[in-house]
Amino acid sequence: AKRSVDLKVPSAPGFRVEYAVQGAGAPVLAVHCSGSSHKQWSPLCDVLGPNHRVVAPNLFGAGGTSPWPPHGRPQTLDDTAALVETAAKDALGDDDRAPIVIGHSHGAAVALRYAATREVSGVVVVEPNYMSLLEAAAPFDDKPDEAARTGGVDDASAFLGRMMAEAQSGYHGWGECFHRFWLAEEESHTWAMVPEQQQKVLLDTTIPGCAYEIGSIDGARGDSSTRDLVGLAGLPGAKHLILSARPGVGSQRCL
């Protein structure tokens, strides 16, 4: 079932959050990736529904949730974590059990911030892009692993820099950049081959939303990511990281 609830965002009144809720039992919060919606978790809801109450909010600009204001202050991970918490409280009512929180890609970064700052019983993240957590972590003892980690952070930082630079010219350069980075591992599928109507949707709604989300992750560098790392280290429940041999493969199923 889909429901909606008001969200209080400082300096940005009038927000509405839409979320899906299904099942009965132990609470689970499912946070979707950029450019997706709560529908991403429909198969998971069907599997978990008999024994869990799954709450899957639509993040800013997805489905019936209000978009982030284009001329407002920068979006933060705390804003999106608050959105998830608002949906959870509305859906779960008097159930005060600590939830398991699940997230994919940007949703994984939100899930990590949520788990670091609120009580949870576990966290599962798929393809998390909260890169500054790696920067805040202690160096690996294994030099190849350390080099791989550093290279991954550098690559992600360069990508974020290109995307934010393109945003200054009105997002049109994002299409090819975004598509090449996430979806076009095969030369047979390029941005030029995306139908014009789909390009328009991506440029008008999906990609601007991604800009705010990327900005919220980039803004989490420094003290906030260090605090999150400490908070996550103290979690009492299980912590699972699912690695993909093909970065972005999860996104291909959602965008």
Side-chain angles (χ1 to χ4, degrees), residues 53-65:
R53 187 160 182 79
V54 183
V55 182
N58 280 327
L59 302 185
F60 293 110
T65 295

Side-chain angles (χ1 to χ4, degrees), residues 136-225:
F140 289 117
D141 292 332
D142 187 300
K143 293 301 180 183
D145 282 351
E146 183 177 359
R149 183 194 67 171
T150 302
V153 171
D154 290 344
D155 287 348
S157 297
F159 168 68
L160 295 182
R162 289 198 306 274
M163 295 295 269
M164 297 310 290
E166 290 286 2
Q168 304 306 312
S169 61
Y171 299 116
H172 289 283
W174 269 53
E176 186 172 352
C177 183
F178 184 90
H179 187 80
R180 187 188 314 119
F181 188 86
W182 285 112
L183 304 176
E185 290 187 352
E186 297 88 9
E187 294 183 0
S188 59
H189 191 54
T190 66
W191 171 251
M193 295 173 65
V194 177
E196 184 176 345
Q197 186 58 36
Q198 187 176 349
Q199 285 190 13
K200 185 177 187 311
V201 171
L202 288 169
L203 290 171
D204 290 349
T205 58
T206 304
I207 288 174
C210 291
Y212 302 130
E213 293 169 350
I214 286 174
S216 74
I217 294 170
D218 196 50
R221 294 176 179 274
D223 291 343
S224 61
S225 58

Side-chain angles (χ1 to χ4, degrees), residues 21 27 93 134 235 247:
V21 58
L134 296 178
L235 285 180

Side-chain angles (χ1 to χ4, degrees), residues 6 26 36 38 86 94 115 119 124 148 166 174 176-177 190 224 229:
D6 289 326
S36 187
H38 71 85
T86 297
D94 295 333
E119 184 181 3
V124 180
E166 290 286 2
W174 269 53
E176 186 172 352
C177 183
T190 66
S224 61
L229 194 66

